[in-house]
Amino acid sequence: MWSEEKMEQYLKENLDSKRYAHSISVRDTAVEMAEQFNEDINKSRMAGLLHDCAKNLRGYELINTAKKYGYNVSEIYQRSPQLLHGLVGAIIAKEIMGVKDKEVFNAIAYHTTGRRNMTMLEKMIYLADYIEPLRKYPGVSEIRELTYNDINKAVLRSFDNTIKYVIDRGQMIHPNTIEGRNYLIKILGD
Ligand SMILES: [Fe+2]
Ligand SMILES: [Fe+2]
């Protein structure tokens, strides 16, 4: 597996400076969360650092990489290839950087859409991406607070915001986000 230094170098070369700063910030936020929730700090740190490593690839590069590694690229990805940057980031982490951990793979792969029944690591990376200190959008401080009070509510609120944002732009909503949201409503209601 690559050293963290080499991973950072890769990010520096492949992301713009703003996205690089965001990646470092998500890494640090993910570490804080792992400490807070008593989860694996190394997995959280690595997934946080690498989650956007495919962010600057072009749409056709994302599609081609996913196909090359045997993933089925459904219609929604053809229309919105950026939705693939999670999965392709996980593929790059595994195949190029040698990060073989399955949980880290899934946390990177699902950070864009979420899904139903997410693991704690998946939720932490999803939220760290959302609430890292460089993020400024209406409602961010509320989600920051919710994260440490009730992480499921925080993820639900993020799904809600994402779905509204996507609707306002007239784009397709990924089924994983809808399933993730329905699942959380169900478990929070019990
Ligand atoms: Fe991302
Ligand atoms: Fe991100």
Side-chain angles (χ1 to χ4, degrees):
M1 190 176 73
W2 284 12
S3 67
E4 187 167 339
E5 207 184 341
K6 193 168 176 190
M7 290 172 184
E8 283 176 22
Q9 196 54 42
Y10 178 96
L11 297 179
K12 241 179 222 165
E13 286 164 13
N14 288 280
L15 301 177
D16 60 62
S17 60
K18 214 177 144 198
R19 184 67 50 180
Y20 177 75
H22 162 73
S23 300
I24 299 296
S25 197
V26 171
R27 176 196 70 190
D28 294 343
T29 305
V31 167
E32 269 172 44
M33 279 189 201
E35 285 169 351
Q36 201 71 30
F37 293 117
N38 246 317
E39 295 288 329
D40 189 309
I41 290 171
N42 280 327
K43 289 185 189 194
S44 199
R45 181 181 182 90
M46 202 163 299
L49 177 68
L50 297 178
H51 80 286
D52 270 344
C53 71
K55 185 75 182 179
N56 276 23
L57 293 181
R58 294 175 190 277
Y60 71 88
E61 294 174 309
L62 290 169
I63 290 169
N64 289 346
T65 308
K67 279 185 181 162
K68 181 178 161 194
Y69 287 96
Y71 290 88
N72 171 42
V73 178
S74 58
E75 194 200 342
I76 188 163
Y77 293 120
Q78 304 280 355
R79 292 181 69 107
S80 307
Q82 262 308 313
L83 283 172
L84 274 174
H85 83 268
L87 173 65
V88 173
I91 292 171
I92 290 172
K94 182 180 174 199
E95 304 292 342
I96 296 176
M97 302 178 183
V99 181
K100 300 295 184 191
D101 187 278
K102 187 80 192 146
E103 289 181 76
V104 172
F105 184 97
N106 285 334
I108 298 173
Y110 291 105
H111 89 267
T112 318
T113 62
R115 63 165 164 172
R116 69 188 298 283
N117 200 9
M118 291 163 83
T119 64
M120 196 56 192
L121 183 65
E122 288 166 23
K123 289 175 193 170
M124 290 192 300
I125 299 306
Y126 187 87
L127 285 171
D129 187 28
Y130 233 83
I131 65 166
E132 57 92 352
L134 301 174
R135 289 279 205 212
K136 312 261 190 266
Y137 58 86
V140 67
S141 57
E142 209 181 344
I143 295 183
R144 276 190 194 115
E145 231 180 274
L146 266 182
T147 296
Y148 293 105
N149 291 332
D150 188 334
I151 194 164
N152 286 324
K153 283 188 185 158
V155 175
L156 177 59
R157 186 71 58 86
S158 312
F159 284 158
D160 286 348
N161 287 356
T162 300
I163 289 168
K164 285 178 196 158
Y165 180 91
V166 172
I167 287 175
D168 286 344
R169 274 152 194 77
Q171 295 165 355
M172 284 185 173
I173 301 170
H174 196 287
N176 282 350
T177 311
I178 297 172
E179 282 177 20
R181 179 173 182 271
N182 288 348
Y183 179 83
L184 285 175
I185 289 173
K186 201 171 67 186
I187 64 165
L188 282 165
D190 287 346

